[in-house]
Amino acid sequence: MTHKHEATTPACTSYPLYDSRWEHDACGMGFLAQVSGEASHSLVETALDALTRLTHRGAQDAEAEAYDGAGILTQIPRALLLEELEQQKISVADPATLAVGMVFLPIRGSEHSLRCREIIEQTLADAGLTFLIWRTPPIDYSVLGATARANAPEIMQVLLSCPPELPVKRYAQILYYARRLIEHRLAGAQITDCYVASLSHTILVHKGLLAPHDLSNFYLDLVDPRFASALAVFHQRYSTNTFPAWPLAQPMRLLAHNGEINTIRGNVNWMQAREAALASPLWDERLQDLLPVVQSASDSGQLDNALEFLAASGRDVLHCMQMLVPPAWEHDTELPDAERAWCEYHAGQIEPWDGPAALVFSDGYMVGAALDRNGLRPARYVLTAQGVLILASEVGVVSLDPQDVVEKGRLGPGEMIAVDLEHGLLMRDREIKEALALRQPYEQWLADHLTHLPHPSSVASDTPVEMGDLFSRQQLFGYTHEDVEMVLRPMLTDNKEPTWSMGDDAPLAVLSHQVRSFSDYFRQRFAQVTNPPIDPLRERIVM
């Protein structure tokens, strides 16, 4: 589903200065996880309360009716759904294979709604999945504000099971493949207002243009005592320069994100550039149905697209997240050799998705958080005596007695923390990185296959340049008197950094009537407001 203001070209007709490529957001987010893996409804209730305490991180309109969006990602409430299926005389051979798709169909009453259902059902059958029923989840549309209600999709759930001939290990991959195929066929039918929020046999996403306190009033399943989960990822969206839209509410399909990906255009372009060379024995010729890998409108959604693709192609979610958001390893002299080899090996496969970002993620088996290499977004955690790990973008989202706090801390730059729900393990940053580094002989692979190109020979000459010739060369390469006196001279004579203003009143090089240097035609893109200054001496590891 695309929101009605989305730009598919650099400028759209109704909003000529708007372009969906520049969408970013700054939000409140976090997760709760029962380390033992025991599912409960009380954890879901606590997560909803924690989300409500992040209301101030979002925005609302003047009438306090329209909101940027909120949501929660949990494990599938099997007890609730299996009981409903049993009432309809539908049995599932293995309850663990029950899959649920949360589908945002076109606005209620739309003529496309029936066609969307037909496409989804046919595609699921073509993918070899067993369709069970369409379920209408209990929803109270009256809690929505006027704007959100006018644009609200018809929300349905599609329930599936794994056919006996399909190996369970391939089940998650086939579900991902089916969803991507659905998206392609909807696009082929020129249907742009249908969106699959999640399609999985492990996790389920509830989200929308709601205030956090209204999420459980809207999705009534969330207050059902049978709705149990051992994890809950929650998110309150704040749109810094975007239009609120149902699909852009978070969590996405695997992650929730607070911050910005400043390198997003380069990341997307590089991903597109390598698509022609992609190959995998897991996908074979079906790989073409997964392209383009990145298709979302926001930076959070695009990162989620990349994470999904990697996770569905044979790597676990911790491995994928560390690939996409690696630590600053290049100048870290204390980094163990095995971990350095891991980072160097993967640096040759994919570039980092960089920027001030705190990320929480889950595939239903593992739930965790990661911080960008500069540590420019907060992520604080508490481990309770009851074995619950609470992590959020700020403290105080859950009220705790001091005696119940076993451990508390914060993620540092490039760090991760995770809970393995299958094995009941809390994994800290060092354990995660050591485990990843020892999975394969990365040091040996680099020694055998990495080729370092020789440094080009120096072409500098010690012969002094005549003053007249020097002035001609400066003119030729676009150096002005200001460049020499205010930039070069302080650097060369006093070893000082040039002092310059943040503003620039000179016209853009492409519009200037003066001859400009080649470098003037390029500008660095960065979040000037949200990025605090970095000390080049004390924080040189990330420079």
Side-chain angles (χ1 to χ4, degrees):
M1 172 184 283
T2 56
H3 48 95
K4 63 181 180 180
H5 299 310
E6 181 177 9
T8 55
T9 59
C12 64
T13 305
S14 54
Y15 294 86
L17 297 182
Y18 168 75
D19 192 324
S20 61
R21 292 178 299 170
W22 314 130
E23 294 210 344
H24 300 283
D25 39 55
C27 321
M29 56 82 200
F31 75 79
L32 271 69
Q34 181 68 53
V35 177
S36 66
E38 180 183 357
S40 67
H41 181 63
S42 62
L43 185 137
V44 177
E45 290 179 315
T46 304
L48 290 169
D49 182 58
L51 176 60
T52 300
R53 299 188 187 194
L54 293 175
T55 302
H56 63 282
R57 297 295 292 267
Q60 60 186 24
D61 67 356
E63 288 76 29
E65 286 191 343
Y67 296 85
D68 281 343
I72 187 171
L73 178 154
T74 65
Q75 292 175 320
I76 290 177
R78 300 190 189 280
L80 187 157
L81 298 176
L82 289 170
E83 186 173 324
E84 289 192 7
L85 288 173
E86 186 178 350
Q87 292 172 357
Q88 299 184 48
K89 310 299 183 184
I90 299 174
S91 61
V92 179
D94 183 0
T97 66
L98 176 65
V100 184
M102 180 69 83
V103 184
F104 291 176
L105 293 168
I107 296 173
R108 288 175 295 167
S110 169
E111 59 183 15
H112 295 307
S113 184
L114 180 59
R115 178 59 180 148
C116 290
R117 291 199 197 193
E118 292 173 349
I119 290 174
I120 291 171
E121 288 184 36
Q122 183 60 52
T123 305
L124 294 173
D126 292 344
L129 298 167
T130 302
F131 172 83
L132 298 177
I133 60 167
W134 281 101
R135 177 178 184 260
T136 303
I139 289 176
D140 184 1
Y141 285 93
S142 67
V143 304
L144 298 175
T147 302
R149 194 182 311 120
N151 297 318
E154 180 185 4
I155 300 174
M156 298 289 291
Q157 291 176 345
V158 56
L159 273 58
L160 313 165
S161 66
C162 181
E165 65 275 10
L166 180 64
V168 176
K169 290 184 178 180
R170 293 275 292 160
Y171 192 28
Q173 295 168 346
I174 297 302
L175 288 167
Y176 169 71
Y177 173 77
R179 199 205 78 233
R180 294 307 317 277
L181 200 56
I182 288 170
E183 292 169 347
H184 281 299
R185 292 183 177 180
L186 289 172
Q190 298 184 332
I191 298 174
T192 60
D193 51 356
C194 181
Y195 172 79
V196 182
S198 63
L199 179 59
S200 170
H201 71 297
T202 57
I203 54 177
L204 182 61
V205 173
H206 292 81
K207 66 179 183 178
L209 292 186
L210 300 151
H213 63 268
D214 279 333
L215 192 64
S216 58
N217 296 326
F218 181 74
Y219 290 108
L220 300 179
D221 276 342
L222 294 175
V223 297
D224 192 310
R226 296 170 295 175
F227 195 112
S229 177
L231 70 91
V233 173
F234 50 88
H235 188 274
Q236 161 66 68
R237 187 166 187 255
Y238 176 68
S239 306
T240 52
N241 59 352
T242 60
F243 293 103
W246 284 81
L248 296 185
Q250 296 188 41
M252 296 298 181
R253 298 177 181 110
L254 285 182
L255 63 78
H257 168 222
N258 170 33
E260 300 180 32
I261 305 299
N262 290 338
T263 59
I264 191 67
R265 290 311 308 159
N267 295 129
V268 173
N269 289 338
W270 273 113
M271 188 65 77
Q272 291 174 343
R274 65 169 61 93
E275 285 177 356
L278 290 177
S280 170
L282 292 175
W283 298 118
D284 297 324
E285 70 280 355
R286 293 178 302 169
L287 183 62
Q288 295 303 312
D289 294 325
L290 306 180
L291 305 180
V293 173
V294 176
Q295 74 279 349
S296 181
S298 69
D299 59 341
S300 303
Q302 290 167 341
L303 177 58
D304 186 73
N305 293 156
L307 179 62
E308 267 194 306
F309 178 73
L310 293 176
S313 300
R315 296 178 174 89
D316 66 62
V317 70
L318 283 180
H319 190 152
C320 300
M321 184 58 70
Q322 186 77 343
M323 286 178 64
L324 295 169
V325 188
W329 60 274
E330 295 91 336
H331 304 297
D332 187 353
T333 57
E334 299 181 359
L335 192 67
D337 291 341
E339 294 178 31
R340 180 178 298 279
W342 190 97
C343 292
E344 187 173 4
Y345 174 83
H346 289 90
Q349 295 189 334
I350 193 167
E351 63 290 333
W353 293 57
D354 204 10
L359 299 147
V360 288
F361 54 89
S362 179
D363 62 356
Y365 302 115
M366 190 81 67
V367 58
L371 203 60
D372 67 273
R373 60 195 286 144
N374 297 325
L376 300 180
R377 282 292 183 272
R380 300 181 179 274
Y381 67 87
V382 172
L383 178 64
T384 72
Q386 292 74 36
V388 177
L389 181 66
I390 304 165
L391 182 141
S393 50
E394 57 194 72
V395 296
V397 295
V398 177
S399 298
L400 297 170
D401 292 329
Q403 61 267 28
D404 287 336
V405 177
V406 175
E407 178 186 341
K408 60 181 178 180
R410 61 183 294 272
L411 293 186
E415 291 187 349
M416 300 177 73
I417 192 170
V419 176
D420 182 343
L421 296 169
E422 279 194 297
H423 301 97
L425 297 175
L426 171 59
M427 305 174 67
R428 294 169 178 81
D429 182 67
R430 180 53 51 208
E431 300 168 60
I432 295 171
K433 290 179 168 58
E434 287 178 354
L436 290 174
L438 296 176
R439 286 185 180 178
Q440 300 290 348
Y442 295 108
E443 290 182 86
Q444 188 61 48
W445 287 355
L446 291 175
D448 293 343
H449 304 292
L450 182 63
T451 301
H452 292 276
L453 298 177
H455 291 287
S457 58
S458 175
V459 296
S461 173
D462 294 332
T463 305
V465 180
E466 295 293 335
M467 186 59 66
D469 191 24
L470 175 62
F471 182 70
S472 298
R473 293 189 186 187
Q474 289 173 343
Q475 285 185 310
L476 178 64
F477 287 95
Y479 285 95
T480 65
H481 179 74
E482 280 186 340
D483 293 329
V484 173
E485 294 300 323
M486 302 185 69
V487 178
L488 295 178
R489 191 177 299 281
M491 295 171 65
L492 298 174
T493 60
D494 302 325
N495 293 324
K496 293 182 178 179
E497 291 189 16
T499 302
W500 210 262
S501 67
M502 292 182 69
D504 185 358
D505 59 356
L508 296 175
V510 70
L511 301 177
S512 177
H513 294 293
Q514 305 296 323
V515 177
R516 303 286 290 274
S517 67
F518 183 68
S519 61
D520 285 349
Y521 287 85
F522 299 88
R523 287 288 185 270
Q524 179 185 8
R525 290 188 60 239
F526 68 102
Q528 183 167 294
V529 175
T530 59
N531 282 3
I534 297 177
D535 187 327
L537 297 179
R538 295 176 180 83
E539 302 180 69
R540 63 182 303 176
I541 188 174
V542 299
M543 297 298 286

